[in-house]
Amino acid sequence: VPGPLAYLNGEFLPRSSATLSVEDRGFVFGDGVYEVWRVLGGQPFELDAHLARLKFGLGELRITPPDIAESDMFSNVAKRLLGASSLETGEATIYLEITRGAAPRTHQFPLTPTRPTVFAVANRFEPPEPLRARGARAITMPDVRWLRCDIKTIQLLPNVLAKQTAVEQGATEAIFIRDGVVTEGSHTNLFGVERGVIRTHPANNLILGGVTRSVVIDIARSLGIEVDETPIAGDRIGGLDEAFLVGTTTDVMPLVRVDEHTVGSGAPGPIAKQLQLALRERLDAIGGERRSPATIAS
Amino acid sequence: VPGPLAYLNGEFLPRSSATLSVEDRGFVFGDGVYEVWRVLGGQPFELDAHLARLKFGLGELRITPPDIAESDMFSNVAKRLLGASSLETGEATIYLEITRGAAPRTHQFPLTPTRPTVFAVANRFEPPEPLRARGARAITMPDVRWLRCDIKTIQLLPNVLAKQTAVEQGATEAIFIRDGVVTEGSHTNLFGVERGVIRTHPANNLILGGVTRSVVIDIARSLGIEVDETPIAGDRIGGLDEAFLVGTTTDVMPLVRVDEHTVGSGAPGPIAKQLQLALRERLDAIGGERRSPATIAS
């Protein structure tokens, strides 16, 4: 049994022996991007949408995309990582990070082009179904992040600090407020429902245009639910009929409390439940699996 | 001859064999802080001021300060790193980075507290005297950074991208403009002179309160030059009598051109020269060295 592997710069290594140069620009400057895929039955969900976002980010950072940004190459690496950890069945995630590589420290790009650092691992994933059934809590916090949140970079310290604050307050997520409106969560997008219409922040430079965000918007419209991509005022969260988080490992997570406000009836709302069910069907379709409705929403 | 060493988590290692876990939160989240010291004759300049800022940053990130944040311990590590590279004489820098450590990836802090990663290296340093003599060029760029620039974190991607843009345009530095005013450079503070008064952005959350910034303000005041810590309007840069950058490896660097504007006479100004001379004296005093005035400002 080989045990968990990491993919690092073209090699498959035992995870504990995958190490980086201290001069890696990811470590010294946060000079890199990443992606996380949901994997079902060995199949990455929305494989190409994540790779497209990855290439967009590499382009913005002006890092030449390495081979792994191509679908075939990524699929091969994913297959081997999943296989080594017996993750070809059930649920998993794949994490991929690409940095500008290792070079003597200067803010500007290295004079001699570096080989980008490519790191990937696969992990078992357990969807948070019990929490989904009862609904989650969130807090709001000022959005102090930079103005290129549309790039999925490893510049995640404000997200780390916000999420930690949420967890310490018994909440699942911190929702960022900038200039009086909700932008998104620390690692999720926020959707609200008012009079049957879904509202969420437009996919501009102030949020990460989530892959699952797009999927859920697509599902909602296909179900005849109107989606209005205009921001929700921070002081209107308490008055929403429903609120839910959306993300790669979050799926659709109903919020029942935000700060001191009860959202809607205080239980997961009908639109969130309907969207989660439809998203779950898409996830299961890729994995070729069937789950009983009982495990989806109790 | 041992050759260049790195200090990593309590050990002195050959630099090329100093490697990190791929799960280091510095690499995955940019979850860390750093400092750079100027070193003269084996003596770190403003040793305690840098350590104080380091501790402030560790406090804001809620990382328990490791031993190296103490003056005695830091001095011992510095001495060994400098000695191994024959840097006890002349000029050098020491780079120190501290991250939250390695742990399975979750945005929130690891449930089991991690040992912070501590990494330090020493490098030879050559002050940019030829450029100082003729004066440097800068460009202006929108300040898209986060709103906690007062913490010296490794979240440096916007700084990297700005500096690279400057270098590609033949400039030395990119000066950030936020809400119509100059905040600072990508790795320096900006000072302007108007009618004999120095202006620079106040040390709030929008800039890194530089150690050299404080030293230069102190020097200026001791020389009877008024220092007004109010921001300079972005559209006033072209009308300044003098402009100069200030930083740990920059000292006082006169700017003779910003974007398409010639600054003052187009040559290094008298206040910049005076401050550089006085700063150089303080630097030389710590190193116990004497330099001829010719190497200071031609």
Side-chain angles (χ1 to χ4, degrees), chain B residues 80-108:
Chain B
R80 176 125 181 232
L81 291 176
L82 293 164
S85 297
S86 304
L87 297 172
E88 306 97 328
T89 57
E91 301 222 22
T93 58
I94 293 176
Y95 176 84
L96 171 63
E97 177 172 337
I98 299 173
T99 75
R100 199 178 307 279
R105 185 179 185 276
T106 60
H107 281 69
Q108 64 267 35

Side-chain angles (χ1 to χ4, degrees), chain B residues 17-130:
Chain B
S17 57
T19 59
L20 298 161
S21 165
V22 285
E23 288 189 318
D24 194 283
R25 289 178 62 100
F27 179 70
V28 175
F29 289 115
D31 192 2
V33 293
Y34 75 104
E35 284 291 333
V36 180
W37 282 260
R38 188 71 166 278
V39 178
L40 299 103
Q43 302 300 314
F45 183 63
E46 293 288 326
L47 191 153
D48 291 329
H50 284 281
L51 286 180
R53 184 169 66 185
L54 180 72
K55 282 188 190 170
F56 165 75
L58 291 169
E60 294 300 297
L61 268 58
R62 298 169 51 197
I63 296 172
T64 305
D67 292 347
I68 202 164
E70 299 305 322
S71 185
D72 286 355
M73 173 74 174
F74 176 79
S75 296
N76 288 339
V77 170
K79 193 172 176 180
R80 176 125 181 232
L81 291 176
L82 293 164
S85 297
S86 304
L87 297 172
E88 306 97 328
T89 57
E91 301 222 22
T93 58
I94 293 176
Y95 176 84
L96 171 63
E97 177 172 337
I98 299 173
T99 75
R100 199 178 307 279
R105 185 179 185 276
T106 60
H107 281 69
Q108 64 267 35
F109 302 167
L111 267 182
T112 310
T114 48
R115 189 176 68 156
T117 297
V118 179
F119 164 59
V121 280
N123 288 297
R124 174 63 67 197
F125 179 68
E126 182 73 34
E129 298 308 338

Side-chain angles (χ1 to χ4, degrees), chain B residues 40-284:
Chain B
L40 299 103
Q43 302 300 314
F45 183 63
E46 293 288 326
L47 191 153
D48 291 329
H50 284 281
L51 286 180
R53 184 169 66 185
L54 180 72
K55 282 188 190 170
F56 165 75
L58 291 169
E60 294 300 297
L61 268 58
R62 298 169 51 197
I63 296 172
T64 305
D67 292 347
I68 202 164
E70 299 305 322
S71 185
D72 286 355
M73 173 74 174
F74 176 79
S75 296
N76 288 339
V77 170
K79 193 172 176 180
R80 176 125 181 232
L81 291 176
L82 293 164
S85 297
S86 304
L87 297 172
E88 306 97 328
T89 57
E91 301 222 22
T93 58
I94 293 176
Y95 176 84
L96 171 63
E97 177 172 337
I98 299 173
T99 75
R100 199 178 307 279
R105 185 179 185 276
T106 60
H107 281 69
Q108 64 267 35
F109 302 167
L111 267 182
T112 310
T114 48
R115 189 176 68 156
T117 297
V118 179
F119 164 59
V121 280
N123 288 297
R124 174 63 67 197
F125 179 68
E126 182 73 34
E129 298 308 338
L131 181 61
R132 197 183 326 278
R134 63 179 189 272
R137 295 177 51 200
I139 61 169
T140 59
M141 292 190 69
D143 192 344
V144 300
R145 297 173 303 163
W146 73 326
L147 299 178
R148 291 304 309 273
C149 295
D150 54 323
I151 314 175
K152 197 168 174 76
T153 74
I154 53 173
Q155 307 265 307
L156 291 171
L157 181 56
N159 309 62
V160 161
L161 296 176
K163 174 79 177 188
Q164 175 65 15
T165 302
V167 168
E168 286 174 3
Q169 297 186 20
T172 294
E173 179 60 302
I175 296 167
F176 291 129
I177 312 282
R178 192 193 295 263
D179 297 335
V181 305
V182 174
T183 50
E184 61 184 336
S186 79
H187 60 114
T188 59
N189 293 116
L190 181 98
F191 285 47
V193 180
E194 232 175 351
R195 287 184 291 276
V197 176
I198 290 175
R199 291 266 299 277
T200 195
H201 197 285
N204 60 18
N205 64 308
L206 298 180
I207 72 160
L208 184 76
V211 169
T212 307
R213 174 186 178 279
S214 292
V215 171
V216 170
I217 288 174
D218 178 54
I219 289 173
R221 287 180 174 151
S222 75
L223 292 172
I225 303 167
E226 189 182 335
V227 180
D228 176 10
E229 292 182 66
T230 60
I232 298 164
D235 58 13
R236 290 288 303 149
I237 296 179
L240 294 170
D241 299 320
E242 290 186 44
F244 49 94
L245 305 171
V246 166
T248 293
T249 57
T250 303
D251 296 345
V252 175
M253 176 60 75
L255 291 177
V256 293
R257 203 164 175 82
V258 178
D259 294 334
E260 74 280 15
H261 306 290
T262 298
V263 178
S265 67
I271 289 180
K273 282 182 174 174
Q274 188 181 7
L275 293 174
Q276 170 61 19
L277 206 63
L279 174 61
R280 189 70 242 180
E281 280 172 13
R282 289 209 192 185
L283 287 164
D284 288 341

Side-chain angles (χ1 to χ4, degrees), chain A residues 2-224:
Chain A
L5 295 180
Y7 176 83
L8 186 64
N9 299 327
E11 289 186 279
F12 292 89
L13 303 164
R15 223 157 139 164
S16 55
S17 58
T19 59
L20 298 162
S21 164
V22 285
E23 286 188 320
D24 193 282
R25 290 178 62 100
F27 180 70
V28 175
F29 290 115
D31 192 2
V33 293
Y34 76 104
E35 285 290 333
V36 179
W37 281 260
R38 188 71 166 277
V39 178
L40 300 103
Q43 303 299 315
F45 184 63
E46 293 288 325
L47 190 151
D48 291 330
H50 284 281
L51 285 180
R53 184 170 65 187
L54 180 73
K55 282 187 190 170
F56 165 75
L58 291 168
E60 294 300 296
L61 268 59
R62 297 168 53 198
I63 296 173
T64 304
D67 292 346
I68 202 164
E70 299 305 322
S71 185
D72 286 356
M73 173 72 172
F74 176 78
S75 296
N76 287 339
V77 170
K79 195 173 175 180
R80 177 126 180 230
L81 291 176
L82 293 164
S85 297
S86 305
L87 296 172
E88 307 96 329
T89 57
E91 300 221 23
T93 58
I94 293 175
Y95 177 84
L96 170 64
E97 178 172 337
I98 300 174
T99 76
R100 200 179 306 279
R105 184 180 187 277
T106 61
H107 281 70
Q108 64 267 35
F109 302 167
L111 267 183
T112 309
T114 48
R115 189 176 69 155
T117 298
V118 179
F119 163 59
V121 279
N123 288 298
R124 175 62 68 196
F125 179 67
E126 180 75 33
E129 299 308 336
L131 181 60
R132 197 183 325 281
R134 62 178 190 272
R137 294 177 51 199
I139 61 169
T140 59
M141 291 189 71
D143 192 344
V144 300
R145 297 174 303 163
W146 74 325
L147 299 178
R148 291 303 309 274
C149 295
D150 54 323
I151 314 175
K152 197 168 174 75
T153 74
I154 53 174
Q155 307 265 308
L156 290 172
L157 181 56
N159 309 61
V160 161
L161 296 176
K163 174 79 178 189
Q164 176 64 16
T165 302
V167 168
E168 286 173 3
Q169 297 187 20
T172 294
E173 179 61 301
I175 296 167
F176 291 128
I177 311 282
R178 192 192 296 262
D179 297 334
V181 304
V182 174
T183 51
E184 61 183 337
S186 78
H187 60 114
T188 59
N189 293 116
L190 182 98
F191 286 47
V193 180
E194 231 175 352
R195 287 184 291 277
V197 176
I198 289 174
R199 293 266 300 278
T200 195
H201 198 285
N204 60 17
N205 65 308
L206 298 180
I207 72 161
L208 185 76
V211 169
T212 308
R213 174 185 178 279
S214 293
V215 170
V216 170
I217 288 175
D218 178 53
I219 289 173
R221 287 181 174 150
S222 74
L223 292 171

